Amino acid sequence: MADNKGVDIKTDENKAAAEAPTPQNTPIFTAPMAAAAAAAAASAIAGGDIEGGVAGNPALLNMLQGRLGSLIGASSGYVEALPKAVRKRVDVLKHLQQQHAEIDKRLHMEIYELEKKYSQQYAPLYERRNAIVQGAAEPTEQEKAAAAEIAAKEKEEADAADGEASGIKEEEEDEEDEDAEAVTGIPEFWLTALKNHPSLAELITERDEEALKFLRDIRLVYLDETPGFRLEFSFGANPFFSNETLTKTYVYDQDELAGALEFSHAQGSEIDWKAENDLSVTVETKKQRHKTTNRTRVVKKTVPAQTFFSFFATVEEPDSDDESEAAEETRDRITLDYELADDLKEKIVPNAVDWFTGKALEYEGIDEEDYEDEFMDDYYEDDDDDDASDDDDDDDEDQLSRSAKEAAEPPQCKNQ
């Protein structure tokens, strides 16, 4: 006969009560709802029927989906169970951390102000760069000498990397290219620099390249009234649009916890496209044949086109509670826009010559094979619904033709 041992429930309860909750002995989920969900899941697994457990109980599943989010970061009860004097010390540490956050905010704002201050020192260099690129000025002898030293050093590094000398004999400086006088500045400087950036290259179409050949300069301007910056794209006269400058302005917000400056929103500029050269749309021409009359008609339809100039559009942030697919695509587009803006600000504008020559790809560690064709799909809008509407037009016209024909014919007697 089995020896039935009694269980001292009172002793076990006192023992459990005597143990203070700690991070080690406190369950992650203490709510009854979580215990019920765990029991249901365990029952379903033990019975070999998952669908009969949580997944088979829509009411429980909906409750889980609606309330699990509230458990994230919920207290385990450990801090609340500490002695009152210890809890007060913890509160003081929270106060110290809050002071730390205030210092962080000042730190990031001072860094921003330093960027603004030093941008004024960069300005003469950018102006000189633009003058040489546009052919408005030629390098001085002093600049040529300094550039020759840089070129010689780069050649030595390249030879060392290859393990042997290139064997290319440098031409004498007085031996000018026969066509040198016909070329002013550095042609297609900014177009080449942008195309060497993988993310931006995905945006630039063949049609865009013709317009971007007129891009004269890209400037970075810090805002005065609020933290942020403006990117200014300066264009020469061109057959595509009448704007001399296209801008995109980005405004920062300061994170309350870490104090970091984060993108808040962006404002683009409207492009005044010239007739027949609007790169943001394409005109599709289709011939349609009527099913009854056999007549044909030509239908022209304007549809959005993929273009780099979508960068200058203003995209509104969807409502926070909007979880639709369109809203998610818009959020992805905004995120990509902020990444491109940050690259233009931090990399392309300051180091434009490295992006022009392609050297930037080396120190950026960029491998173009890592980028897929669909990388920029979120930046463009598709309009596939219009094709169905064209077919509907045919159906409507067929219906109208049949109605008109029936109205014109007199009714016939069936008893003949």
Side-chain angles (χ1 to χ4, degrees):
M1 182 174 178
D3 184 13
N4 294 328
K5 296 182 179 179
V7 179
D8 189 351
I9 299 177
K10 183 177 180 181
T11 302
D12 288 346
E13 288 179 350
N14 293 338
K15 180 179 179 182
E19 294 181 357
T22 68
Q24 287 74 30
N25 67 16
T26 304
I28 297 177
F29 301 111
T30 58
M33 183 273 295
S43 175
I45 294 173
D49 182 13
I50 299 297
E51 294 182 357
V54 178
N57 188 334
L60 179 58
L61 184 60
N62 290 335
M63 180 180 67
L64 286 173
Q65 292 175 338
R67 298 184 60 187
L68 276 178
S70 64
L71 295 178
I72 300 176
S75 173
S76 66
Y78 168 65
V79 174
E80 290 79 358
L82 292 173
K84 184 176 180 181
V86 176
R87 293 202 305 272
K88 288 184 177 180
R89 297 183 190 117
V90 172
D91 291 338
V92 172
L93 296 185
K94 292 179 181 179
H95 172 64
L96 295 177
Q97 181 171 298
Q98 187 177 32
Q99 290 180 307
H100 189 285
E102 293 299 322
I103 296 174
D104 276 342
K105 291 180 181 179
R106 295 198 298 270
L107 168 64
H108 287 285
M109 284 305 301
E110 288 185 17
I111 291 174
Y112 172 76
E113 293 298 330
L114 276 175
E115 288 184 3
K116 288 179 62 176
K117 174 183 176 181
Y118 278 88
S119 68
Q120 301 301 318
Q121 298 185 33
Y122 297 142
L125 302 178
Y126 296 155
E127 292 175 2
R128 180 62 178 165
R129 177 181 68 188
N130 185 54
I132 294 175
V133 168
Q134 299 305 322
E138 290 294 333
T140 64
E141 294 301 322
Q142 184 178 2
E143 288 173 333
K144 290 180 180 179
E149 293 180 4
I150 295 175
K153 183 177 180 180
E154 289 181 347
K155 183 176 180 301
E156 289 178 2
E157 294 175 353
D159 290 343
D162 294 340
E164 58 181 5
S166 61
I168 301 176
K169 185 178 180 180
E170 297 293 335
E171 297 182 358
E172 298 294 335
E173 290 187 5
D174 56 353
E175 293 181 4
E176 296 291 342
D177 190 348
E178 295 179 357
D179 299 329
E181 294 182 0
V183 178
T184 58
I186 305 177
E188 301 179 12
F189 177 81
W190 286 105
L191 169 60
T192 305
L194 294 178
K195 288 185 64 178
N196 278 334
H197 187 282
S199 299
L200 290 169
E202 291 286 344
L203 289 174
I204 300 173
T205 67
E206 291 184 5
R207 298 172 69 202
D208 293 332
E209 290 186 22
E210 294 302 315
L212 289 173
K213 289 178 180 179
F214 295 92
L215 179 57
R216 301 174 62 88
D217 196 14
I218 302 178
R219 295 184 295 270
L220 169 66
V221 179
Y222 285 88
L223 305 182
D224 292 327
E225 61 276 9
T226 184
F229 62 93
R230 182 171 61 252
L231 294 169
E232 299 180 348
F233 290 66
S234 176
F235 287 85
N238 64 83
F240 298 93
F241 46 82
S242 58
N243 309 68
E244 293 184 358
T245 303
L246 298 178
T247 64
K248 192 74 176 281
T249 302
Y250 295 87
V251 177
Y252 289 134
D253 268 345
Q254 195 164 27
D255 180 70
E256 288 297 327
L257 182 61
L261 294 177
E262 302 174 337
F263 285 104
S264 168
H265 62 276
Q267 179 71 39
S269 58
E270 185 176 352
I271 302 178
D272 299 325
W273 295 104
K274 296 181 179 179
E276 306 299 330
N277 281 326
D278 187 345
L279 299 178
S280 66
V281 297
T282 56
V283 179
E284 295 182 356
T285 302
K286 296 178 61 176
K287 282 187 177 182
Q288 295 180 340
R289 185 177 299 278
H290 196 277
K291 297 178 181 178
T292 303
T293 64
N294 208 32
R295 291 181 300 175
T296 61
R297 65 175 181 176
V298 177
V299 177
K300 291 185 177 181
K301 180 177 62 175
T302 301
V303 297
Q306 295 185 359
T307 175
F308 164 81
F309 292 93
S310 297
F311 173 78
F312 297 100
T314 300
V315 183
E316 299 294 338
E317 180 79 29
D319 294 336
S320 58
D321 57 350
D322 188 350
E323 298 179 358
S324 64
E325 183 177 352
E328 289 302 317
E329 290 178 354
T330 300
R331 293 188 184 98
D332 290 342
R333 179 179 177 182
I334 292 174
T335 299
L336 174 61
D337 180 64
Y338 291 159
E339 291 174 357
L340 294 177
D342 196 58
D343 278 358
L344 285 163
K345 172 181 176 286
E346 300 291 342
K347 299 176 180 180
I348 295 179
V349 171
N351 307 311
V353 67
D354 285 346
W355 290 99
F356 174 78
T357 63
K359 183 180 180 181
L361 297 175
E362 299 177 10
Y363 59 71
E364 288 289 336
I366 295 176
D367 185 356
E368 294 187 11
E369 294 181 357
D370 293 339
Y371 291 84
E372 300 177 357
D373 292 339
E374 60 269 19
F375 183 74
M376 293 294 167
D377 285 351
D378 293 332
Y379 222 89
Y380 304 114
E381 297 178 356
D382 295 329
D383 191 359
D384 297 331
D385 297 334
D386 292 341
D387 292 337
S389 64
D390 289 340
D391 296 336
D392 293 340
D393 292 341
D394 282 343
D395 295 339
D396 293 341
E397 189 171 345
D398 290 342
Q399 184 66 34
L400 290 173
S401 299
R402 286 194 295 270
S403 299
K405 185 177 180 181
E406 292 171 358
E409 294 179 355
Q412 299 180 358
C413 180
K414 296 182 181 179
N415 299 324
Q416 290 184 354

